[in-house]
């Protein structure tokens, strides 16, 4: 079954709204409690250029990033670990060390865990956070500009080079092995931006998520995309790489232009929100929903 079909089955039986934003949220007194869960499967999510410590850190980052994308402050991490009975103790220690490093980086505590034996390694992580004002995907407004943090393309470029057995430049490997969640940026944006999402599946897919959730049209300027210089240098189609590259954990946000001077960190304006529907590249028509599978079919890439 496809992911979308599995989601449809569960949504139709569990009537509560369990999906639809980066993290779930419930009101608690004056604050929002944010909670999210994101699973890492060793065989398909961990290419062999990543070390076990990287995997531990990454499972923390991908969950914390979903709290950041809501404008929340992450407070705690928790996880369930599935491992084969004969797993090497040293491998386990290195994964645990990565989880410790990740939780220290984001100044959060690891508050709960569980383990069971399964045929392959699975780390199902979760994070809890607190927010004052939420950045919902459904809150983009016509007149907003669309912005993104950081430079795009390196995680996918790393996978492409790896699947071809080519050398991966250091600055590309660094981002692919150790992406970082934009926690400080998310907290600042919670006061001034309207909508946000983190790039876990690729810029194009995330832009479509905002467009559909907010019922707005998004128009992107191709020349404005902040593509990492090495990606421009080594790729024949840097725009496609930037639109498809997942696990960037950069934030896409929409904001009213008059609030832009209030942002104290670096970011790039890549387009604007208009009345209408869909995501477009200016002068080129509708933006396809591209994902990294399209390039490398990761999970099967090296088998
Ligand atoms: Mg997300």
């Amino acid at each position: 079954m496809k992911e979308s079909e599995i989601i449809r089955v569960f949504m139709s039986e569990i009537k509560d709204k369990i999906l639809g934003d980066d993290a779930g949220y419930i009101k608690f007194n004056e604050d929002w409690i944010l909670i999210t869960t994101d699973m890492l499967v060793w065989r398909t999510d961990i290419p062999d250029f990543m070390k076990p410590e990287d995997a531990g850190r990454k499972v923390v980052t991908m969950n914390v990033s979903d709290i950041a994308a809501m404008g929340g402050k992450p407070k705690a991490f928790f996880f369930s670990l599935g491992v084969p009975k004969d797993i090497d103790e040293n491998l386990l220690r290195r994964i645990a060390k990565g989880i410790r490093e990740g939780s220290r980086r984001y100044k959060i505590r690891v508050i709960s865990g569980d383990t069971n034996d399964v045929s392959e390694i699975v780390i199902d992580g979760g994070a809890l956070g607190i927010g004052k004002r939420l950045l919902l995907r459904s809150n983009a407004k016509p007149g907003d500009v669309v912005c993104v943090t950081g430079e795009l393309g390196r995680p996918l470029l790393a996978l492409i080079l790896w699947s071809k057995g080519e050398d991966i430049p250091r600055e590309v490997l660094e981002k692919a092995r150790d992406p970082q969640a934009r926690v400080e940026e998310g907290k600042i944006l919670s006061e001034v931006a309207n909508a946000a999402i983190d790039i876990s599946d690729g810029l194009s897919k995330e832009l479509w998520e905002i467009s559909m959730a907010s019922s707005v049209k998004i128009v992107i300027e191709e020349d404005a995309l902040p593509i990492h210089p090495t990606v421009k240098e080594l790729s024949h189609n840097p725009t496609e790489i930037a639109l498809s590259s997942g696990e960037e954990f950069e934030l896409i946000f929409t904001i009213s232009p008059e609030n832009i001077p209030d942002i104290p960190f670096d970011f790039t304006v890549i387009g604007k929100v208009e009345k209408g529907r869909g995501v477009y590249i200016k002068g080129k028509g509708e933006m396809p929903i591209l994902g990294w599978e399209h390039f490398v079919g990761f999970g099967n890439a090296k088998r």
Side-chain angles (χ1 to χ4, degrees), residues 22 66 137 197-198 200:
D22 290 275
D66 278 333
R137 296 176 181 185
I197 190 168
D198 69 329
S200 44

Side-chain angles (χ1 to χ4, degrees), residues 117-130:
D117 72 282
V118 293
S119 57
E120 60 171 305
I121 305 174
V122 175
I123 314 170
D124 187 19
L128 181 124
I130 293 182

Side-chain angles (χ1 to χ4, degrees), residues 182-202:
R182 296 284 190 175
V183 175
E184 289 308 313
E185 290 86 345
K187 277 192 283 183
I188 292 164
L189 290 173
S190 74
E191 293 178 18
V192 289
N194 287 328
I197 190 168
D198 69 329
I199 305 183
S200 44
D201 294 331

Side-chain angles (χ1 to χ4, degrees), residues 17 32 41 50 53 60 81 101 127 162 188 281 287 294:
K17 190 169 173 276
W32 290 99
V41 178
M50 288 182 76
E53 291 86 348
V60 180
L81 178 73
E101 286 169 6
W162 170 74
I188 292 164
I281 303 177
M287 181 186 286
H294 163 80

